[in-house]
Amino acid sequence: MASDGARKQFWKRSNSKVPGSIQHVYGAQHPPFDPLLHGTLLKATPKVPTTPVKAKRVSTFQEFESNTSDAWDAGEDDDELLAMAAESLNTAVVMETANRVLRNHSQRQGCHKPPGALGPEQKPKPSVEPPSVPSGDLRLVKSVSESRASCPAGSASDAGPLQRSQSLPHSATVALGGVPESSTLSSSALSEREASRLDKFKQLLAGPNTDLEELRKLSWSGIPKPVRAITWKLLSGYLPANVDRRPATLQRKQKEYFAFIDHYYDSRTDEVHQDTYRQIHIDIPRMSPEALILQPKVTEIFERILFIWAIRHPASGYVQGINDLVTPFFVVFICEYIDDEDVDTADVSCVPADALRNVEADTYWCMSRLLDGIQDNYTFAQPGIQMKVKILEELVSRIDGQVHRHLDQHEVRYLQFAFRWMNNLLMREVPLRCTIRLWDTYQSEPEGFAHFHLYVCAAFLVRWRKEILEERDFQELLLFLQNLPTAHWGDGDVSLLLAEAYRLKFVFADAPSHYKK
């Protein structure tokens, strides 16, 4: 067993940032981390006392309490509140007292406001009526780093909850009763960050030879929509890295695809192929988003793509689940010609016929590249899926033994819910927008669809451990696992899932003994 010193050296061995690495998130702690105030937390040995009297070291909470200006710490109001706490009060009385404390607190700080700040006479009179929604939180808390500043700040409107200040510039904060600008600044900062990322992608793609390794690193955290189509084509291996070769490659591959259609598509009614075509024709209306898929032009495109792929890959042929893998590629590529933000309901009839032909050919070749790496998922008896589900079961037993034992105790088999996770690459479990974000990372990872997807599924299952452990019935457990509440998921939820999956991969991928009992 390695010594503690060697173990520390192992973790300090690499300082390079990797996707999913854990960093301090400013504002995620309360109070926000301040090295000047919390420097002692980072040191291995405490400071030597300067006085002969041995002082008792205060706890973290005491440090926070002593350095925080709280709206409830209003001197004489403490006794009043403590006395009232022993009585049975109705909501109106509580709210009136809270508003009075806030007024006293804001008036005391009014003398410290700089010229030009709103005065007490400009503040709207707080209502004594209790709020009708739970967002009316009447606490006003300052961060530790703000308590060191010369100008107190922090505000919230009556219409929304009071939010913690995250040490934004003082010009961004307003007096009590004003409109908070933190959300505006957050969206502005987000837009700047997205614009910066987009510039990096454009610079990388503008060179004569695109550095695919650098493109993968940049794409791991998500690809901006304007460059997603070209990036996917490059990462999937459909387009060459050399810019001058791309037009000829596109023209050749598109011509080749439509040659397949001319040669094979008419045989869909032949006796040998009619069962395949019939199954494709049945499965397409079951796909989502329905508003897009059920458009006649889109249905015809999907039928051609799936039928040509099945004919050209007789080892597997068409298998249910492959049809879902067409959708993300088609949606991403059609977005180059559609301005609608909600592509789920976009009308493709306005897209020129030549553009639709290009999208169809590009979708076919990129889907073929994906399936080349996971074709054993769809051959006879689907051995690839069987193996992945077994590895997932063993992995979860190592990651979270309690969840694994709970499922086993209620006789829930992994194949009953995880088969679809492998067969459809989680497309039936999360919204399409989340699938596209997920595939940004899959295409950035080596063997992302075949290998990294396993760790995403493990992280996805453990993500619902609380809800799983609360279920005490086989039927309820299985219904929950087959209908997970992800309808409102966004990029943030997917990013957290991917970060956890990367952590699991880092721990388990190079440690085969973790799979052994």
Side-chain angles (χ1 to χ4, degrees):
M1 182 175 180
S3 63
D4 292 341
R7 194 175 307 162
K8 291 179 180 178
Q9 289 300 320
F10 169 77
W11 291 111
K12 294 181 179 179
R13 192 166 51 184
S14 174
N15 293 325
S16 60
K17 292 182 179 180
V18 293
S21 61
I22 301 175
Q23 302 176 15
H24 286 293
V25 180
Y26 198 69
Q29 306 175 27
H30 183 71
F33 185 84
D34 190 334
L36 296 177
L37 293 176
H38 297 79
T40 55
L41 299 178
L42 300 176
K43 297 180 180 179
T45 58
K47 292 183 178 179
V48 179
T50 57
T51 60
V53 180
K54 185 176 179 181
K56 183 180 178 181
R57 185 184 178 277
V58 295
S59 66
T60 304
F61 176 77
Q62 289 169 333
E63 291 178 2
F64 158 60
E65 187 177 32
S66 64
N67 289 281
T68 302
S69 174
D70 199 311
W72 299 112
D73 296 334
E76 68 275 11
D77 292 317
D78 288 351
D79 297 334
E80 180 183 356
L81 290 174
L82 289 172
M84 293 176 65
E87 301 178 6
S88 176
L89 301 176
N90 57 39
T91 305
V93 175
V94 172
M95 297 306 299
E96 182 178 1
T97 303
N99 287 322
R100 186 167 64 254
V101 172
L102 287 173
R103 286 198 301 273
N104 292 340
H105 183 74
S106 58
Q107 287 172 3
R108 292 183 182 192
Q109 292 191 347
C111 60
H112 301 292
K113 293 178 188 276
L118 294 177
E121 66 280 356
Q122 294 175 282
K123 295 194 294 285
K125 183 178 179 181
S127 173
V128 296
E129 297 180 0
S132 58
V133 293
S135 63
D137 188 1
L138 289 173
R139 292 172 296 173
L140 182 64
V141 183
K142 285 177 59 181
S143 66
V144 170
S145 54
E146 268 195 331
S147 67
R148 299 173 57 86
S150 59
C151 178
S155 66
S157 63
D158 292 336
L162 295 172
Q163 302 178 354
R164 296 172 182 166
S165 171
Q166 299 182 5
S167 297
L168 295 171
H170 296 295
S171 60
T173 57
V174 294
L176 184 66
V179 179
E181 299 179 16
S182 58
S183 60
T184 305
L185 288 176
S186 299
S187 60
S188 174
L190 183 63
S191 300
E192 291 178 3
R193 186 162 60 248
E194 290 175 348
S196 175
R197 281 180 53 79
L198 181 58
D199 288 341
K200 290 180 181 178
F201 272 94
K202 288 182 175 179
Q203 290 174 12
L204 193 58
L205 295 170
N209 289 285
T210 303
D211 186 342
L212 295 181
E213 189 60 33
E214 208 50 45
L215 186 62
R216 288 189 182 96
K217 292 179 181 177
L218 200 56
S219 302
W220 203 99
S221 299
I223 304 172
K225 184 178 178 182
V227 294
R228 180 175 275 136
I230 182 66
T231 303
W232 276 26
K233 292 173 187 177
L234 287 167
L235 294 179
S236 65
Y238 173 47
L239 285 184
N242 185 274
V243 175
D244 297 334
R245 292 175 52 202
R246 291 175 194 169
T249 301
L250 280 174
Q251 186 177 5
R252 176 172 56 82
K253 300 299 283 185
Q254 290 167 1
K255 183 178 180 181
E256 188 177 347
Y257 168 73
F258 285 105
F260 293 156
I261 290 180
D262 294 338
H263 187 72
Y264 296 113
Y265 195 60
D266 289 339
S267 66
R268 64 188 183 278
T269 55
D270 294 350
E271 185 177 355
V272 67
H273 297 314
Q274 63 181 3
D275 288 342
T276 298
Y277 180 75
R278 183 186 302 113
Q279 189 61 54
I280 292 172
H281 191 71
I282 291 172
D283 288 344
I284 287 178
R286 301 172 179 171
M287 297 167 61
S288 61
E290 293 182 359
L292 177 67
I293 303 299
L294 295 183
Q295 295 180 41
K297 287 186 178 180
V298 178
T299 300
E300 292 171 7
I301 289 173
F302 277 49
E303 286 179 354
R304 287 195 292 266
I305 290 173
L306 292 169
F307 183 77
I308 296 301
W309 190 90
I311 295 299
R312 288 187 51 78
H313 296 80
S316 62
Y318 173 75
V319 179
Q320 286 180 310
I322 294 178
N323 54 312
D324 284 326
L325 307 184
V326 181
T327 308
F329 288 113
F330 180 82
V331 167
V332 167
F333 297 155
I334 201 69
C335 282
E336 290 187 288
Y337 306 96
I338 293 179
D339 294 331
D340 294 354
E341 284 296 325
D342 189 7
V343 73
D344 294 3
T345 58
D347 183 9
V348 301
S349 61
C350 61
V351 179
D354 290 344
L356 274 179
R357 285 171 60 87
N358 295 341
V359 168
E360 180 178 348
D362 295 344
T363 300
Y364 170 81
W365 288 114
C366 288
M367 186 200 73
S368 298
R369 290 278 185 170
L370 185 160
L371 289 170
D372 286 347
I374 57 172
Q375 192 167 354
D376 61 341
N377 285 6
Y378 306 104
T379 54
F380 178 73
Q382 299 180 276
I385 293 180
Q386 302 274 354
M387 179 184 66
K388 289 183 177 72
V389 171
K390 182 63 177 176
I391 294 176
L392 174 66
E393 181 177 357
E394 294 176 354
L395 182 59
V396 172
S397 70
R398 299 290 135 200
I399 297 170
D400 196 327
Q402 187 177 5
V403 168
H404 176 75
R405 289 190 297 271
H406 187 76
L407 294 174
D408 185 64
Q409 179 184 352
H410 292 86
E411 299 182 349
V412 176
R413 302 293 172 251
Y414 283 74
L415 207 60
Q416 294 170 326
F417 62 88
F419 181 90
R420 190 171 73 182
W421 296 7
M422 305 298 177
N423 191 51
N424 302 92
L425 299 178
L426 288 177
M427 282 196 60
R428 295 294 179 98
E429 319 309 320
V430 297
L432 179 59
R433 61 183 179 274
C434 296
T435 297
I436 291 173
R437 168 63 190 91
L438 202 62
W439 284 25
D440 286 347
T441 300
Y442 280 3
Q443 299 196 75
S444 307
E445 277 280 329
E447 298 183 342
F449 293 97
H451 186 62
F452 187 65
H453 178 68
L454 173 67
Y455 297 96
V456 172
C457 289
F460 189 62
L461 179 61
V462 176
R463 159 70 176 76
W464 308 102
R465 77 179 311 274
K466 179 177 178 292
E467 292 82 356
I468 290 172
L469 295 175
E470 287 175 352
E471 298 293 348
R472 300 292 178 179
D473 177 72
F474 167 82
Q475 183 176 357
E476 294 299 325
L477 259 174
L478 201 57
L479 284 175
F480 175 76
L481 290 170
Q482 291 178 345
N483 300 276
L484 294 167
T486 60
H488 301 292
W489 270 32
D491 284 0
D493 301 284
V494 177
S495 296
L496 289 174
L497 179 68
L498 289 168
E500 176 63 14
Y502 186 87
R503 186 188 69 83
L504 295 177
K505 179 189 173 187
F506 184 83
V507 173
F508 289 92
D510 297 323
S513 61
H514 280 294
Y515 290 129
K516 298 178 182 179
K517 293 186 177 180

